[in-house]
Amino acid sequence: MKTIKTFTFSILMLMMMSFNERQKETNIDPQNNPTDILKKTVEKLNNLKNVNYSYYRSINYFSEDYHSETRGTTFINFDKSNTSLGFKFQLEDEDMKIVYNGIEYFSLDKGDKTISIKKRPPSSSFENISLFLNSLITLKKSLPVIIADREIHKNLSDTIINNKSYHLASFVLKNKTLSGLGNFSPITLKRNFLYKIVIDKSSFLPLQVIQTNDAEPKDYMLTSFDNIQTKDNIPSELSWYYSTYNEYEQKTDKRLTIIKHNEVVPPFNLPYYDNNDTISLAQLQSKFVLIEFWMKNCGYCIQSIPTINSLLSKFDKTTLSVIGINSSDNSKEIAFFYQKNKPLFKTLLDENGKVTRDFGVDAFPQVVLLDGNRNVIYSGSLNIEEIEKLLSTK
């Protein structure tokens, strides 16, 4: 059995490093360079037939007052003959188990004992799996492209952790990040993303990935891979088939459908996020009411704020009322959002999500525009041209 036990990277050390700080090179072999080390890492990843490891990810976006941790176990079987994706996998955390056997892709919900099944899913189905983000899968596909691209700045240094020396390879991506499957995802905001990879000097396997950016240098994402095993701990043959899990009840994907044109909206009475006062739809006396369903960690929700603020500046209070409904965040998180993004409308707290579900909303942001009789005259994404047209002609 081959096992590599890694470590917990010092958060204090990470926060002391600025984005543009050049890594101090200690005892670097002059014959080594970033490309050489990264090539050896790619060679090692390409030669893996099976790999099993514990995955840990910590996201710390101080600029958004956001923190999350993800833990789970990962097993990958690299058998290109059995799958168009290039590998099969089993992923598991305390809540879910996800299996892809090359044909069937199914997830087991340990809480409600249900199983969701897809057959022959496209590769896009796997891009947003949390246990793949900045993982060995990510590096296996992306590093050859990064190595070949001379415009991507790469650096190599040594780092000493727990009295052991490791390679610390880094590279900078301009206006793009890496997806879970190792594809490059462009972003609209102009910023550089720095990736640092801690690499074991004997095995050349990556042990950690640290991601930061120059726009918010205190924000970072840390992923680590512990207990890497390349020979043992292979799941049993039967564990690859959904029929094995007969204690789970199959469920179908039923998405909510947002409330439609001319439908009468369900009544509600919700509290404001920042006090104990409540308000009902009947209390809004303006000719039109625009309801936006939003959540804090949503780029499009942030981008919608100036647009909605401009609506409120253009139409007076007797013509238009705007109210936000949030079922995803607590009062403190919403207050942080308000302080940073300055919405001019008030938000109601839908703590159990009932009102959000009653309106058929399962994606954010979504808006519903109501006329004087509180019938729906528009619903869906924030189409400002269409909404202004309705407000001006009705």
Side-chain angles (χ1 to χ4, degrees):
M1 179 177 69
K2 184 175 182 180
T3 302
I4 301 174
K5 180 69 176 176
T6 187
F7 43 80
T8 301
F9 193 92
S10 169
I11 299 302
L12 179 60
M13 288 176 60
L14 178 65
M15 299 311 298
M16 289 174 63
M17 293 181 183
S18 67
F19 180 90
N20 294 312
E21 180 182 4
R22 178 177 176 82
Q23 295 292 333
K24 182 179 180 181
E25 297 187 356
T26 307
N27 299 323
I28 295 291
D29 185 338
Q31 295 182 347
N32 285 339
N33 61 55
T35 299
D36 290 339
I37 299 303
L38 292 175
K39 282 182 176 179
K40 290 179 180 180
T41 297
V42 170
E43 181 181 5
K44 182 68 177 184
L45 292 173
N46 286 338
N47 287 333
L48 291 176
K49 294 183 178 179
N50 297 295
V51 62
N52 191 314
Y53 58 88
S54 298
Y55 175 94
Y56 170 76
R57 184 182 77 237
S58 174
I59 300 177
N60 300 274
Y61 292 162
F62 295 98
S63 64
E64 300 293 338
D65 191 32
Y66 179 76
H67 170 77
S68 73
E69 293 185 350
T70 301
R71 292 179 173 85
T73 58
T74 299
F75 175 80
I76 308 291
N77 169 247
F78 296 99
D79 188 347
K80 295 182 180 179
S81 63
N82 289 338
T83 165
S84 59
L85 189 62
F87 59 92
K88 302 187 298 185
F89 61 81
Q90 292 193 22
L91 312 175
E92 189 167 6
D93 61 23
E94 62 180 6
D95 300 315
M96 302 285 293
K97 180 173 183 177
I98 303 174
V99 179
Y100 174 60
N101 61 22
I103 298 175
E104 300 160 345
Y105 171 43
F106 58 92
S107 59
L108 308 166
D109 189 315
K110 297 179 181 179
D112 61 15
K113 289 293 181 179
T114 57
I115 181 170
S116 300
I117 305 168
K118 296 180 181 179
K119 293 192 175 182
R120 302 189 184 279
S123 60
S124 58
S125 300
F126 311 114
E127 283 284 7
N128 295 320
I129 293 177
S130 61
L131 295 182
F132 280 163
L133 187 59
N134 286 0
S135 69
L136 299 188
I137 292 294
T138 309
L139 299 176
K140 178 180 168 69
K141 182 173 181 180
S142 65
L143 285 183
V145 180
I146 291 165
I147 291 169
D149 192 337
R150 294 186 178 181
E151 293 186 359
I152 296 178
H153 176 72
K154 295 172 277 286
N155 189 40
L156 178 68
S157 65
D158 275 0
T159 184
I160 307 296
I161 302 174
N162 296 334
N163 296 319
K164 183 176 179 180
S165 179
Y166 298 88
H167 292 303
L168 185 63
S170 62
F171 55 87
V172 177
L173 299 182
K174 294 183 178 181
N175 306 325
K176 58 187 175 183
T177 60
L178 296 175
S179 72
L181 294 184
N183 296 312
F184 294 84
S185 302
I187 63 170
T188 56
L189 299 175
K190 290 186 177 181
R191 59 186 57 184
N192 296 322
F193 290 88
L194 173 64
Y195 288 82
K196 300 177 183 178
I197 308 174
V198 177
I199 300 171
D200 186 270
K201 287 190 172 182
S202 58
S203 70
F204 290 99
L205 281 172
L207 302 180
Q208 286 193 344
V209 178
I210 303 127
Q211 176 186 332
T212 58
N213 73 85
D214 59 350
E216 299 289 351
K218 291 184 179 181
D219 291 357
Y220 68 94
M221 182 192 308
L222 166 71
T223 60
S224 65
F225 322 112
D226 290 330
N227 302 319
I228 300 177
Q229 302 177 32
T230 59
K231 293 184 179 179
D232 296 338
N233 282 5
I234 298 175
S236 67
E237 179 66 23
L238 291 179
S239 69
W240 291 97
Y241 308 110
Y242 72 83
S243 57
T244 300
Y245 305 90
N246 51 27
E247 71 272 28
Y248 286 80
E249 180 181 355
Q250 186 172 345
K251 68 177 181 181
T252 57
D253 291 332
K254 293 183 178 179
R255 298 197 64 181
L256 296 173
T257 301
I258 195 166
I259 195 167
K260 299 296 185 184
H261 182 263
N262 282 336
E263 289 185 6
V264 178
V265 300
F268 62 80
N269 189 53
L270 292 174
Y272 292 105
Y273 82 90
D274 55 352
N275 59 54
N276 293 323
D277 294 339
T278 63
I279 190 170
S280 66
L281 192 59
Q283 291 174 274
L284 299 173
Q285 300 300 313
S286 57
K287 184 177 180 182
F288 297 96
V289 176
L290 181 69
I291 304 173
E292 185 193 37
F293 295 87
W294 66 277
M295 62 184 295
K296 171 177 164 288
N297 294 305
C298 160
Y300 290 113
C301 299
I302 296 171
Q303 292 176 0
S304 74
I305 299 302
T307 302
I308 295 178
N309 284 351
S310 70
L311 274 180
L312 285 168
S313 300
K314 187 172 184 177
F315 296 93
D316 61 40
K317 293 181 180 180
T318 62
T319 301
L320 176 66
S321 292
V322 177
I323 201 78
I325 294 182
N326 187 308
S327 61
S328 303
D329 307 307
N330 60 37
S331 297
K332 181 181 177 182
E333 292 166 333
I334 297 173
F336 180 90
F337 183 95
Y338 263 71
Q339 183 179 11
K340 182 174 183 179
N341 298 290
K342 313 299 183 187
L344 298 179
F345 58 90
K346 294 184 177 295
T347 286
L348 307 179
L349 197 57
D350 182 20
E351 288 188 291
N352 61 16
K354 182 180 184 305
V355 173
T356 302
R357 291 190 299 272
D358 286 347
F359 275 77
V361 172
D362 66 357
F364 304 99
Q366 294 283 284
V367 298
V368 177
L369 182 62
L370 310 177
D371 64 12
N373 296 318
R374 299 309 180 242
N375 293 324
V376 177
I377 57 174
Y378 177 84
S379 62
S381 60
L382 183 60
N383 185 329
I384 188 62
E385 292 82 7
E386 180 67 19
I387 291 173
E388 283 197 8
K389 180 180 177 181
L390 291 167
L391 293 175
S392 301
T393 58
K394 287 281 184 177

